[in-house]
Amino acid sequence: MRTLISTAFMSLDGVVEAPGGEPGYRNSGWTFKDVEFLPEAFEIKGREQEEATAMMMGRLSYEAFSPVWPDMEEFADYNVMPKYVVSTTLAEENLVSNWGETTILRSLDDVAALKETEGGPIIVHGSASLNQALSDAGLIDRYHLLVFPLLLGAGKRLFSATDKDTQKLRLVEHEAYANGLQKNVFDVVR
């Protein structure tokens, strides 16, 4: 069974929207505008590329990443790995041709079936709505969270507000950095 890892930049109050400067959000770019950059705090991002064997995202994140990431040297390892886009609306003809093998999954059942296949970890980037749905369906196995010392107020959150049973997590790695960032890696307890 494959491990599904959710990775996110998150404010202390849980916002994950527009960390890299995506348009349309009041605090867009909060990861680099308001917190001093320390390379060691982002070590986990390089490790994710080395350890992941596939990448998953929702349609909106695919549409944001696919025109940019294929040409970015820091994301070169993602170019060669298979990508899965979970979407009921994305059409095959809207997939880019320069970012390697991409498969559209139409449902959470398709995600569950993919997890049952042979292979290594699948990393989920961006995709607030997808993360909420995957979490609520019990499909996420691990969280890689870089928590920024910011309160952003309104914005898309990583976790849904669904009324559900308690989900226990086990902290397996953590570190605090001089700029206030915290790395927290949690395994989902089954």
Side-chain angles (χ1 to χ4, degrees):
M1 186 158 163
R2 298 177 82 169
T3 302
L4 195 59
I5 302 168
S6 170
T7 182
F9 294 143
M10 186 168 73
S11 68
L12 188 60
D13 57 349
V15 174
V16 295
E17 186 168 355
E22 300 80 357
Y25 176 60
R26 176 184 180 167
N27 294 313
S28 184
W30 50 270
T31 59
F32 59 86
K33 287 181 182 174
D34 300 311
V35 177
E36 175 192 3
F37 178 76
L38 291 179
E40 60 271 23
F42 295 89
E43 171 275 335
I44 193 168
K45 305 317 283 175
R47 190 166 21 124
E48 288 170 351
Q49 286 187 70
E50 293 170 7
E51 295 174 358
T53 60
M55 186 166 62
M56 182 178 290
M57 65 209 95
R59 179 186 55 84
L60 293 176
S61 291
Y62 177 80
E63 290 172 344
F65 299 156
S66 64
V68 181
W69 280 24
D71 297 324
M72 294 180 73
E73 187 176 319
E74 59 265 36
F75 298 123
D77 290 338
Y78 285 134
N79 289 341
V80 297
M81 69 177 62
K83 284 153 218 68
Y84 298 94
V85 183
V86 182
S87 174
T88 59
T89 59
L90 185 66
E92 294 283 338
E93 60 266 17
N94 297 120
L95 297 175
V96 298
S97 60
N98 64 334
W99 206 21
E101 174 191 344
T102 303
T103 303
I104 299 172
L105 304 177
R106 298 293 183 195
S107 69
L108 293 180
D109 288 339
D110 290 344
V111 175
L114 175 64
K115 283 187 61 171
E116 295 295 327
T117 63
E118 292 295 318
I122 302 167
I123 195 95
V124 181
H125 278 284
S127 310
S129 297
L130 175 59
N131 266 289
Q132 291 176 6
L134 292 170
S135 178
D136 288 349
L139 294 172
I140 295 178
D141 302 295
R142 175 173 275 203
Y143 291 96
H144 289 180
L145 305 177
L146 278 179
V147 182
F148 285 68
L150 303 169
L151 300 176
L152 298 175
K156 293 179 183 175
R157 302 271 197 272
L158 184 65
F159 301 104
S160 77
T162 302
D163 186 15
K164 60 185 179 183
D165 290 340
T166 300
Q167 175 64 70
K168 294 181 184 175
L169 305 174
R170 180 182 324 109
L171 184 66
V172 295
E173 183 181 342
H174 63 92
E175 192 160 350
Y177 302 94
N179 62 356
L181 255 69
Q182 296 176 30
K183 173 179 63 181
N184 294 298
V185 176
F186 293 97
D187 280 341
V188 175
V189 177
R190 305 257 186 244

